[in-house]
Amino acid sequence: MPLLQSWRWYGPNDPVTLQDIKQAGASGIVSALHHMPHGEIWPLEQIQERKRIIEEAGFTWAVVESVPVHEAIKTRSADCGHYLENYRQTLRNLAACGITTVCYNFMPVLDWTRTNLAYVLENGAKALYFDWTDLAVFDLFILKRAAAAQDYAEAVVAEANKRAETYPASYLKQLEDIILMGVPTEGSITLEQLTASIGIYKEIGHEGLRENLAYFLESIMDVCEETDINMTIHPDDPPYPILGLPRIASNKADLLDIINRVDRAPNGICFCTGSLGAGRHNNAVEILKAVGHRVYFAHLRNVLKDEQGNFFESDHLAGDVDMYGVMRELVAINRKREQPIPFRPDHGHQMLDDLHKVTNPGYSAIGRLRGLAELRGLEMGVERSVFAV
Ligand code: DNO
């Protein structure tokens, strides 16, 4: 039984159509009701309708990515109980439709963060890029967070000072928009909201956030067990605290803490090689070996870091992540499963014809098609050579 080759589809408004995905050769769809405001119950009829569209096109809806966790739950504020009940009901509604793998993250306020969405590679394709100095420019000169300078190396602060003087206003505005951007179609936040949240999370702290995650998981595990839902937490991207916000899913120790603190089978992991790979001390293969028994979903992509830890998203098979090693381990884990583990080529370069199109950052068709093709070939090679199938 091979891994389930999957593809993220943002729904009927996605410029990449289900027919495009057919041509790319995926068979599982990763989708969400992105139009639903965070925290609201996903109505059964809307889930059924999305499922119908996906299945009529010949796919299975393999994973929901994501059912977002409302900030009231992450911060365990007064209305946390209300949002937990909503979350449980959304899970029940998904399970009633037979969708039982759910991805989520517990990153405070911001989801994944980049500083450049169109970093031009030598071959002319465009990639997503993260630069600590540009983050510092945002932090020091746009957000103007108190004592932000303490969080960066001196050389980074010095360079950020220089850049802030030379960057045109339009570039600074673009940087602001990129950092404040959430998931496309789910909306951005404002500088004021970000500043207020940073204050709240300062009180909560690292250990407090870990406890809030455990509380969330404890609150939903009964429903998961009753309905056969597996939850998969997405690692922090990048895997570091940023802008003074705590991060608790950044490395092997964090992931082990998450699965051991609430030691129940549905408490699983979305193994994202690109997010983890951006961490200086993270070895993706070693992490997969440690937590593989709880991996129910995988995002496969690669990154290339420089000495400062800045990184761009490189070709799927070429970068700091040993993709061969990851695939070998993933195939070994999958061979012991009753259901295939879905994986998707996570992000791809904007390339060829897509350079002339407006696409969701990271989610244009051709770059992901290339990634999927490479990963599919790698999987077959591993299967045939290592496991002699
Ligand atoms: C970025 C994605 C993330 C991911 C969420 C999961 O491309 O991998 O936005 O969907 O963090 O909740």
Side-chain angles (χ1 to χ4, degrees), residues 112-121 126-132 134-135 163 167 171 174-179 181 311-313 350 361-362:
W112 58 309
T113 303
R114 295 289 180 275
T115 54
N116 183 352
L117 303 178
Y119 177 72
V120 182
L121 302 170
K126 292 180 183 169
L128 306 182
Y129 186 74
F130 180 88
D131 182 296
W132 283 104
D134 274 356
L135 186 75
R163 286 191 197 175
Y167 278 162
Y171 188 84
Q174 189 185 315
L175 184 62
E176 174 180 332
D177 290 345
I178 291 172
I179 293 174
M181 186 199 75
F311 64 89
F312 71 92
E313 300 190 359
Q350 193 180 354

Side-chain angles (χ1 to χ4, degrees), residues 250-270:
S250 295
N251 49 45
K252 183 166 95 177
D254 284 349
L255 296 180
L256 283 171
D257 183 81
I258 292 168
I259 58 178
N260 292 335
R261 228 178 243 235
V262 180
D263 192 10
R264 290 163 78 170
N267 175 18
I269 287 166
C270 164

Side-chain angles (χ1 to χ4, degrees), residues 5 7 32 41 47 69 90 102 111 116 122 173 193 206 247 252 255 257 310-311 336 341:
Q5 294 170 27
W7 188 279
I41 298 173
I47 302 170
V69 179
T90 294
V102 173
D111 194 326
N116 183 352
E122 267 176 23
K173 176 69 183 120
Q193 286 168 327
H206 184 262
R247 300 279 226 187
K252 183 166 95 177
L255 296 180
D257 183 81
N310 308 314
F311 64 89
K336 296 185 210 135
I341 300 173

Side-chain angles (χ1 to χ4, degrees), residues 8 65-66 104-105 107 111-112 234 299 344 347 363:
R8 186 178 206 175
E65 178 178 353
S66 313
Y104 71 102
N105 73 75
M107 289 178 251
D111 194 326
W112 58 309
H234 188 280
H299 286 179
R344 63 178 184 82
H347 304 178
Y363 290 92

Side-chain angles (χ1 to χ4, degrees), residues 332-347:
I333 297 166
N334 191 56
R335 290 174 70 81
K336 296 185 210 135
R337 296 285 171 89
E338 279 169 21
Q339 298 296 327
I341 300 173
F343 82 89
R344 63 178 184 82
D346 186 28
H347 304 178

